[in-house]
Amino acid sequence: MPTDSPAPADTPRTPPAPAERVPAPAPERAAHRDPGPGPTLRDSDAPAPDAPRGYRAVFAVVEFRAVFAAHLLSLLGVVVSELALTVLVYDITGSPLLSALTFALGLLPYIVGGTLFAGVADRYPARRVLVVCDLLCAACVAVMLVPATPVAGLLALRCLVAAIAPVFTGTRMAALTDILGEGDLYVLGRSLLRIVSQSAMLIGFGAGGVLLTVLSPRGAITVTVVTFLCSAALLRFGTRDRPARATTGDEGGTLLKESLSGARLVLGDRRIRALMLLFWLPAMFVVAPEALAAPYADAIGAPPAALGLLLCAMAVGHIGAELFVGSALSPRNRSRIVLPVAAVGLLPLLVYVVRPGLPLALAALALAGAGAAYVIGLDQWFVDAVPQELRGRAMTLLTAGLMTVQGLGMALAGLAAEFFPVHQVVTGSGIIGTVCTLLLVAEVRRTAPGRMSDTEGRDGADRHVTSR
């Protein structure tokens, strides 16, 4: 499955209570929390001097290599298919609206799948969920190849693939804690998958364009079927079979009931809710310059090639900053920079107030992309805050919400640009986003471990476990 933004067993069993869990040996669990707002590395858990460190340590885990390869293959396939499907719909209909809608439908169903089907991530063994999701998506894409499939059918299949994506990604994110532990290896593993996702946007569309010069749109879409099948095979034979996190049909509830109940418990916890919003809100506002890249390039009289540069600059900044923070900073320092970097991450967009030319705009976008480096430390805080039995549902909801708010942010930016100049809309996004993020940073500080009672943390939810 495509999104990252991410494997367990045959017979479900109820996991032990959090207090009874025995930490995995090093290097599986390298990071632990301190009384501050996030986790740090204890001396007793430091890796051996001759052990691999940083990203090398993550790749030393055999199962992660299978997950990484599956993610890379399917993600490139999906990016190619998105481009090819857009061209196919336009060839059939000649409608720019329907062609654009093909892209939009890759975001909109996330909230449906992430809310209604989130229970799958905890109710069934993770490896089974991941493989079945890949096979379902391969089947959907295979039907797209049938010439008799109408445009409405193509769009419906696109929606179905997008609805499955958050379940897959949330399950994979939760499964990474089984494969890599809940400490520094997990954080760096998530970082690598995000880097792949950002890189795929730079490479995948270029590869798709090249493929479309030698293949028909349906021929290019065939590549995606192959990548989904390869991903399924890698996950099936390259990861261990582990049990489900939750007992099937807990309290006799249906899958829908479990999914909605999980969302209520996750969002009802004050700490988890604050951390989740810190993932979502900056992402909602930072997409404005990308959504408006074409009209802005036109407004400043930039050449056609400038559009590609404007679309790539933020991803380049993100990849560079994430690689630096993941490899050069210790877990303690990554934790320390979360709130300061989140607070200032949208400020580079204020450069748009002067209607900058191409060089200055590219620099501002690269800096805004680099601001996303705070997410590395935030990953650790989130996995520490979420109980194991809710982890799959929480991460599915996190993924669904992240994609949804980005789509909403693009739509709102486009709507605002109907009434105001593009540079003012981007500036406004930076200002409003920074104010909202500062308020959220204050809430995250207030909910830090040791700074609020368990009752305040639950905020009225009927959970019997704390957010730790």
Side-chain angles (χ1 to χ4, degrees):
M1 282 294 300
T3 53
D4 165 278
S5 323
D10 282 336
T11 306
R13 70 180 182 204
T14 305
E20 299 172 355
R21 293 173 57 203
V22 179
E28 294 255 329
R29 289 196 58 167
H32 298 264
R33 297 182 309 283
D34 65 6
T40 61
L41 185 69
R42 294 193 314 194
D43 293 338
S44 60
D45 294 318
D50 57 345
R53 295 173 181 270
Y55 291 120
R56 288 177 55 226
V58 182
F59 279 116
V61 179
V62 176
E63 283 185 89
F64 178 78
R65 294 202 294 268
V67 172
F68 181 85
H71 179 62
L72 178 61
L73 278 173
S74 62
L75 187 59
L76 286 173
V78 166
V79 172
V80 169
S81 72
E82 286 178 346
L83 180 60
L85 187 59
T86 301
V87 174
L88 177 61
V89 170
Y90 185 73
D91 287 346
I92 294 173
T93 65
S95 169
L97 174 62
L98 289 176
S99 180
L101 186 61
T102 305
F103 266 115
L105 289 176
L107 296 176
L108 298 178
Y110 262 75
I111 193 62
V112 177
T115 302
L116 300 185
F117 307 130
V120 171
D122 290 319
R123 187 171 184 173
Y124 301 103
R127 187 177 73 175
R128 186 189 307 170
V129 173
L130 295 174
V131 172
V132 169
C133 284
D134 265 339
L135 294 177
L136 285 174
C137 290
C140 290
V141 177
V143 176
M144 293 180 187
L145 299 176
V146 178
T149 305
V151 171
L154 294 173
L155 298 181
L157 291 166
R158 179 82 170 99
C159 285
L160 184 55
V161 171
I164 294 171
V167 177
F168 179 94
T169 305
T171 303
R172 185 186 63 208
M173 288 169 64
L176 280 181
T177 62
D178 299 324
I179 295 171
L180 299 173
E182 299 174 9
D184 196 44
L185 289 186
Y186 167 79
V187 172
L188 294 177
R190 288 277 295 124
S191 172
L192 282 169
L193 295 186
R194 271 195 303 270
I195 290 170
V196 169
S197 298
Q198 292 290 324
S199 302
M201 299 302 294
L202 303 177
I203 299 170
F205 285 125
V210 172
L211 278 176
L212 287 172
T213 64
V214 296
L215 297 174
S216 67
R218 282 194 169 89
I221 293 172
T222 305
V223 173
T224 303
V225 178
V226 176
T227 58
F228 276 136
L229 293 176
C230 289
S231 174
L234 283 166
L235 293 170
R236 173 61 182 83
F237 298 106
T239 59
R240 285 175 50 198
D241 199 20
R242 298 181 177 89
R245 288 178 179 78
T247 302
T248 303
D250 258 347
E251 302 176 356
T254 63
L255 176 60
L256 178 59
K257 181 180 177 181
E258 287 180 21
S259 299
L260 295 177
S261 173
R264 178 174 60 84
L265 291 173
V266 168
L267 295 176
D269 185 290
R270 185 178 173 187
R271 172 67 173 173
I272 298 175
R273 183 174 64 241
L275 295 177
M276 192 170 285
L277 287 172
L278 195 57
F279 279 103
W280 290 351
L281 275 181
M284 178 179 177
F285 290 99
V286 81
V287 297
E290 290 183 319
L292 301 175
Y296 188 72
D298 182 63
I300 62 175
L307 177 58
L309 294 175
L310 290 170
L311 290 172
C312 292
M314 200 173 289
V316 170
H318 186 165
I319 293 169
E322 185 130 10
L323 283 171
F324 173 78
V325 172
S327 58
L329 299 187
S330 67
R332 178 179 286 109
N333 287 331
R334 290 201 295 266
S335 180
R336 287 173 175 167
I337 70 169
V338 171
L339 299 183
V341 173
V344 302
L346 294 171
L347 291 181
L349 299 186
L350 302 189
V351 169
Y352 273 73
V353 73
V354 298
R355 200 169 176 264
L358 185 60
L360 187 55
L362 291 175
L365 291 175
L367 283 174
Y374 78 93
V375 173
I376 300 184
L378 188 59
D379 275 332
Q380 183 67 67
W381 295 5
F382 191 74
V383 79
D384 286 338
V386 178
Q388 185 185 24
E389 66 272 16
L390 278 176
R391 196 165 287 156
R393 282 168 283 182
M395 292 182 173
T396 300
L397 185 62
L398 172 64
T399 301
L402 185 61
M403 298 300 290
T404 301
V405 298
Q406 288 183 87
L408 180 61
M410 291 179 180
L412 291 175
L415 178 62
E418 292 289 327
F419 303 96
F420 302 99
V422 171
H423 70 282
Q424 292 181 7
V425 173
V426 176
T427 303
S429 294
I431 294 172
I432 298 171
T434 297
V435 171
C436 292
T437 303
L438 287 173
L439 295 174
L440 193 52
V441 163
E443 173 67 2
V444 171
R445 287 188 183 279
R446 284 192 293 268
T447 61
R451 298 191 185 185
M452 66 174 184
S453 68
D454 180 54
T455 303
E456 289 172 327
R458 287 195 299 267
D459 207 16
D462 58 350
R463 276 179 53 190
H464 60 85
V465 290
T466 70
S467 62
R468 303 197 302 278

